[in-house]
Amino acid sequence: MCFHSKQSKKAQTVEKRFNATVENITLFESQTEFNGFSYPKTPIITNTNTSKVQLFNWGLIPKWSNNIDIRQYTLNARIETIKEKASFKHNIKNRCLIIADGFYEWKWLDNKGKNKQKHLISLPNNELYAYAGIYDQWINEDTGEIINSYAIITTEANELMAEIHRKKRMPVILNPEDEI
C-alpha cells in the first residue's frame, strides 16, 4: 500500500501543471515528504473546486464517524472494494487528485520484514502526477473542528511494483487526460 509520498515541486510549478492556484503557499512548501501515519496535510484538487490546490489531511475520516482514529485504517482505499466498504462507499463521488512526484515502498529482503530496501518510485524526470483519491469533510461534534481528509485509491501492482511490494499493491496513478 502507499503510506509514504513525496511532493517536492514549488507552488508555481504545481499551479502551471494543474492549472490551479495553490491556496496556502507557505504551508504548501514547508514539507516535501509525507508519512501517512502522521496524517499530514498534502496538496489535492477536489472535483468540486478544480481551480484550487488545497491541503487536506491524509487518512479519510468519513463524516458519519464519531472517532477520528478511523483514519489509521483509511489511508488507502482498494479500488476493488471501494463501493462496498462503509468508510469509502459514501464518498465515491467526492473525487480528488492527490498531487505528487514520487512515493516510497520498501522491498522485504527477508520473510519477517526486518531487512528492507527503500525504493523511490517516480515518473521519468521526476515529473508531477496525480493519484486518484476520494475525500470527505468531518466535523468534531464536541469542538466544532473541521477536518478535510482523503484516501489514496490503490490497485493491483504493475510488473515493477509486484517485484517490490509484498502485497502486490500500488496507488492509482492517473494519466493527465484522466484527471478531473
Side-chain angles (χ1 to χ4, degrees):
M1 299 300 237
C2 184
F3 298 126
H4 299 271
S5 188
K6 172 177 156 303
Q7 195 304 107
S8 60
K9 304 296 186 200
K10 295 289 185 193
Q12 184 179 13
T13 303
V14 171
E15 288 176 336
K16 184 176 179 181
R17 162 62 174 82
F18 290 97
N19 194 29
T21 304
V22 171
E23 191 173 63
N24 184 335
I25 291 176
T26 304
L27 188 56
F28 176 89
E29 293 183 347
S30 68
Q31 189 176 0
T32 60
E33 294 187 2
F34 307 100
N35 175 342
F37 291 105
S38 65
Y39 317 110
K41 288 188 176 201
T42 77
I44 76 162
I45 300 172
T46 66
N47 63 328
T48 58
N49 195 349
T50 59
S51 64
K52 268 195 182 166
V53 177
Q54 301 175 71
L55 298 174
F56 277 35
N57 289 94
W58 189 358
L60 185 83
I61 310 167
K63 71 175 53 176
W64 52 260
S65 179
N66 60 6
N67 189 344
I68 195 170
D69 293 334
I70 193 170
R71 63 187 173 177
Q72 67 185 307
Y73 306 108
T74 58
L75 294 169
N76 297 311
R78 289 177 167 258
I79 198 164
E80 299 88 349
T81 59
I82 199 168
K83 291 180 179 179
E84 302 160 14
K85 301 283 182 177
S87 297
F88 306 123
K89 68 182 180 180
H90 300 291
N91 292 306
I92 57 175
K93 291 185 180 179
N94 295 344
R95 295 174 293 126
C96 64
L97 303 176
I98 302 151
I99 300 168
D101 60 12
F103 66 97
Y104 298 95
E105 286 295 347
W106 283 257
K107 182 175 183 174
W108 286 25
L109 302 175
D110 61 24
N111 288 337
K112 296 192 180 200
K114 290 185 179 184
N115 189 12
K116 300 176 192 175
Q117 182 179 14
K118 185 178 182 179
H119 291 267
L120 170 61
I121 312 301
S122 62
L123 295 181
N125 301 317
N126 200 31
E127 296 171 50
L128 278 167
Y129 61 86
Y131 305 121
I134 57 172
Y135 71 94
D136 206 351
Q137 183 177 80
W138 179 77
I139 301 172
N140 183 320
E141 292 179 3
D142 297 329
T143 66
E145 175 188 21
I146 297 171
I147 298 178
N148 294 312
S149 62
Y150 70 87
I152 294 174
I153 298 174
T154 65
T155 189
E156 287 184 37
N158 63 19
E159 193 174 322
L160 168 70
M161 286 305 300
E163 288 291 317
I164 297 170
H165 197 274
R166 68 184 178 90
K167 292 186 179 179
K168 307 212 182 303
R169 303 291 303 168
M170 64 180 277
V172 172
I173 298 172
L174 298 169
N175 292 316
E177 62 270 16
D178 296 326
E179 296 170 356
I180 299 172

